[in-house]
Amino acid sequence: MKTVLAAAGVALVLAVGVSAQRGRGGQPPVPTAPTPPGPPRVEALKKEAAAEVKAMRVQTQQMVDQVFSFAELGFQEFETSKYLTSVLEKNGFKIERSYAGIPTAWFATWGSGKPVIAIGSDIDDIPQASQKPGVAYHDPIIAGAPGHGEGHNSGVPLNVTAALAVKKIMEREKLPGTLKLWPGVAEELVGAKAYLIRAGLFRDVDVSLFAHVGSNLGAGWGGGFGTGLVSVEYTFQGESAHSAAQPWRGRSALDAVELMDIAWNFRREHLRLQQRSHDVITNGGDQPNVVPQNASVWYYFRETDYEHIKELHEIGDTIARAAAMMTNTEVTSRILGSAWPQHMNKTLAETMYANILTVGLPAWDADDIALAKGIQKELKQPQVGLSTELGPLRGGRDPEENMGGPSDDIGDVSWVVPTVTLGYPANIPNLPGHNWANAIASATPIAHKGVTAGAKVQAMTIIDLLMRPELVTAAWDYFRNVQTKDQKYIPFIGPNDQPAINMNEKILEKYREEMKQYYYDPTKYKTYLEQLGIKYPTVRQ
Ligand SMILES: [Zn+2]
């Protein structure tokens, strides 16, 4: 095992060196351009798929609003998964539930033969981000409850819309191919995708299309952006005693947690600038007069490549052991999640980007722009409104210039099958992320229009991949001969690690009953805004 890891490390250093030369040594960057159009029949069917998506606008809006109203945290997406699978099942998809030992994970397949196209997006939300949609200031539906403060309510509805549009065409045209839809469970915990891979979800998959909410339509390829991470909880075990009567008999687990945090924050000065690490204390003891016999601290260790993530995790382990020694306590650790740095496929991104150029951004109206400017003003950000120009096709970034950023466990998937992520404009620019503010657009016409635009791109890209096998071949050529030539996927989870499926259970137990009153009922109300009685947009005067 050790030898294998060392060899991979050497290869990685070489790969980084070569691309650093390319980026800085004046050599031309890898050329990239949108994939040229296919034969007339393909282009005609793509046009038709986009029209089908447009015709499904109301159904799309209902799905986006419905999932928004469920507002479930990672591993607790029970209502969300029940609802989405029922929509797919009604439309002839075969469902496998409770996949990989995760009660809320599933996949849905339709069609037969090659290519097998995996189509995924995340479904979980953010703690304490409950927020009324369409309101440009903090106004929770239920104070303290979770909410879609990232916008993960719209990704699977986008994929379902695209898949149903394509299915109709595949049936009529008798096109071979299999559509395999799946949800990113507990993405905010980077808690599930490595387990979905281990269970074999992608073993028969030829290409993988992912969708993630953003404030513009976009796609990119290569690495050199964001981070990967290991999420670890350290639990210290000591001995309780009366804190005043006989404190010398106690061994404080909380002392160990505090010493670990202090040590980590000193060590931080001497870590690479690319690292990003953060922690929360999940258990700090019971009450002051009882010496805390157990305490836990939960860390995210982020870095820009596999070797550095592993190294950061090892430093964390060392500091935890040292803190245990200092306090005469014992420490154990558990991996709660992990994510590889993302590396998206060149062919797939170029093909998707060509469709992005065709579809373009939605036509925002005055109300959409008023909501966007309202929240931007509220948060003292530049009042730029909504995106009105597409960004360039991103690709071939120099990994040496990557200074870190967020992670997504779609990274793991991108290392086992050619993958691309579609960014779609269902949110407002200049928001903080993981915050109530990121929820305000997520069940409004901004999200509805953004999802329809994204679903058109997704549907057109699926048609390309179904009908132009040379694209699938080229995607695998890049995957095998460029991306994974010197770097192979080694999961951060070990064979004995298990998904942390009980996380967030208590929070949902606390809020579920109250949240049920606010579930969207499309049989009574056209939109969720209408059900909540919200005037769109509601902006501070
Ligand atoms: Zn996300």
Side-chain angles (χ1 to χ4, degrees):
M1 187 67 180
K2 271 210 169 114
T3 335
V4 175
L5 292 180
V10 170
L12 180 69
V13 170
L14 284 176
V16 167
V18 167
S19 80
Q21 274 171 16
R22 190 177 59 224
R24 288 176 184 164
Q27 287 182 23
V30 182
T32 184
T35 302
R41 180 172 171 240
V42 176
E43 294 305 314
L45 292 181
K46 279 162 64 176
K47 217 171 155 184
E48 201 188 316
E52 284 293 339
V53 166
K54 195 176 167 194
M56 288 170 64
R57 277 196 314 268
V58 172
Q59 193 186 347
T60 304
Q61 168 254 312
Q62 287 178 351
M63 288 192 285
V64 168
D65 287 4
Q66 190 76 65
V67 178
F68 182 89
S69 77
F70 292 142
E72 293 172 304
L73 290 167
F75 288 119
Q76 306 303 321
E77 310 97 331
F78 289 99
E79 298 284 358
T80 303
S81 285
K82 198 172 108 192
Y83 167 72
L84 292 169
T85 52
S86 81
V87 172
L88 286 161
E89 204 161 35
K90 264 182 231 146
N91 282 283
F93 279 73
K94 209 175 120 253
I95 317 286
E96 168 122 5
R97 293 186 169 81
S98 296
Y99 189 68
I102 300 170
T104 55
W106 48 268
F107 68 87
T109 48
W110 181 86
S112 60
K114 292 270 184 185
V116 179
I117 304 176
I119 309 161
S121 193
D122 303 320
I123 54 171
D124 60 324
D125 72 354
I126 303 285
Q128 301 192 51
S130 174
Q131 168 69 23
K132 288 181 186 156
V135 178
Y137 47 84
H138 192 202
D139 189 5
I141 298 173
I142 300 170
H148 272 290
E150 161 114 351
H152 284 177
N153 58 302
S154 54
V156 175
L158 181 157
N159 288 339
V160 172
T161 304
L164 296 184
V166 171
K167 174 178 174 261
K168 205 164 163 185
I169 293 168
M170 287 172 78
E171 279 172 328
R172 193 194 62 209
E173 301 289 317
K174 302 193 170 37
L175 296 178
T178 305
L179 307 179
K180 188 171 190 177
L181 273 72
W182 62 281
V185 164
E187 189 280 328
E188 299 300 349
L189 304 167
V190 286
K193 294 189 186 85
Y195 294 102
L196 301 182
I197 291 167
R198 190 170 78 181
L201 185 64
F202 299 95
R203 238 170 252 158
D204 64 343
V205 170
D206 295 297
V207 283
S208 136
L209 302 179
F210 200 68
H212 195 283
V213 59
S215 59
N216 206 329
L217 262 181
W221 59 269
F225 64 97
T227 56
L229 72 87
V230 179
S231 155
V232 197
E233 187 176 47
Y234 296 96
T235 295
F236 295 87
Q237 180 70 45
E239 182 66 70
S240 77
H242 194 302
S243 304
Q246 302 183 76
W248 48 86
R249 291 180 64 174
R251 294 182 285 124
S252 170
L254 178 60
D255 289 356
V257 164
E258 290 185 90
L259 286 166
M260 174 168 187
D261 284 353
I262 289 165
W264 185 266
N265 285 326
F266 271 97
R267 185 64 173 266
R268 194 188 292 276
E269 183 186 351
H270 308 288
L271 296 172
R272 293 197 336 144
L273 299 179
Q274 289 88 337
Q275 74 82 28
R276 294 188 189 193
S277 50
H278 11 263
D279 71 280
V280 294
I281 296 173
T282 46
N283 173 14
D286 300 308
Q287 57 185 62
N289 65 340
V290 180
V291 172
Q293 58 183 313
N294 44 52
S296 302
V297 59
W298 177 17
Y299 269 84
Y300 273 23
F301 298 118
R302 300 190 204 243
E303 252 285 6
T304 55
D305 60 51
Y306 171 79
E307 285 298 321
H308 285 108
I309 296 163
K310 222 169 126 271
E311 202 178 293
L312 215 56
H313 182 192
E314 279 160 14
I315 296 169
D317 285 355
T318 302
I319 288 178
R321 280 196 304 272
M325 282 175 74
M326 283 189 277
T327 51
N328 194 21
T329 57
E330 284 91 51
V331 64
T332 54
S333 71
R334 182 181 176 197
I335 291 186
L336 296 179
S338 63
W340 261 61
Q342 302 171 55
H343 188 117
M344 294 302 163
N345 188 272
K346 184 167 184 281
T347 308
L348 296 184
E350 290 171 346
T351 302
M352 182 172 270
Y353 192 75
N355 296 322
I356 285 172
L357 291 178
T358 306
V359 171
L361 282 159
W364 311 114
D365 67 20
D367 289 343
D368 304 331
I369 294 162
L371 182 73
K373 290 193 172 172
I375 187 68
Q376 287 158 351
K377 187 177 176 206
E378 176 79 9
L379 300 177
K380 300 181 175 62
Q381 297 296 310
Q383 290 170 53
V384 297
L386 293 161
S387 298
T388 52
E389 258 176 67
L390 294 172
L393 170 61
R394 305 178 304 266
R397 283 183 186 156
D398 183 349
E400 288 286 286
E401 282 163 22
N402 180 9
M403 288 310 292
S407 325
D408 186 320
D409 51 2
I410 191 61
D412 290 62
V413 179
S414 76
W415 285 94
V416 297
V417 60
T419 298
V420 68
T421 294
L422 166 70
Y424 60 92
N427 220 326
I428 297 167
N430 293 336
L431 303 184
H434 293 181
N435 182 280
W436 59 265
N438 292 64
I440 73 162
S442 299
T444 69
I446 295 174
H448 305 144
K449 290 174 197 174
V451 169
T452 292
K456 287 180 188 173
V457 175
Q458 198 79 308
M460 291 164 81
T461 309
I462 296 168
I463 300 262
D464 274 323
L465 295 167
L466 286 171
M467 300 187 72
R468 300 164 76 183
E470 68 276 14
L471 295 176
V472 178
T473 306
W476 277 97
D477 180 55
Y478 176 85
F479 182 83
R480 287 200 183 98
N481 301 319
V482 180
Q483 179 186 348
T484 63
K485 192 163 166 266
D486 301 314
Q487 173 76 64
K488 307 284 183 225
Y489 176 62
I490 307 160
F492 286 116
I493 56 167
N496 297 324
D497 289 313
Q498 294 300 328
I501 57 173
N502 299 113
M503 294 191 77
N504 295 320
E505 220 169 44
K506 289 205 173 105
I507 300 176
L508 265 299
E509 250 168 48
K510 182 173 171 190
Y511 290 106
R512 176 88 69 190
E513 276 312 306
E514 203 182 343
M515 287 166 72
K516 276 182 186 167
Q517 306 168 42
Y518 297 99
Y519 288 175
Y520 173 46
D521 182 355
T523 64
K524 286 193 194 142
Y525 302 97
K526 269 171 43 191
T527 66
Y528 193 44
L529 286 171
E530 188 186 310
Q531 176 170 335
L532 296 176
I534 293 167
K535 177 187 160 284
Y536 178 75
T538 298
V539 176
R540 221 191 271 281
Q541 294 306 315

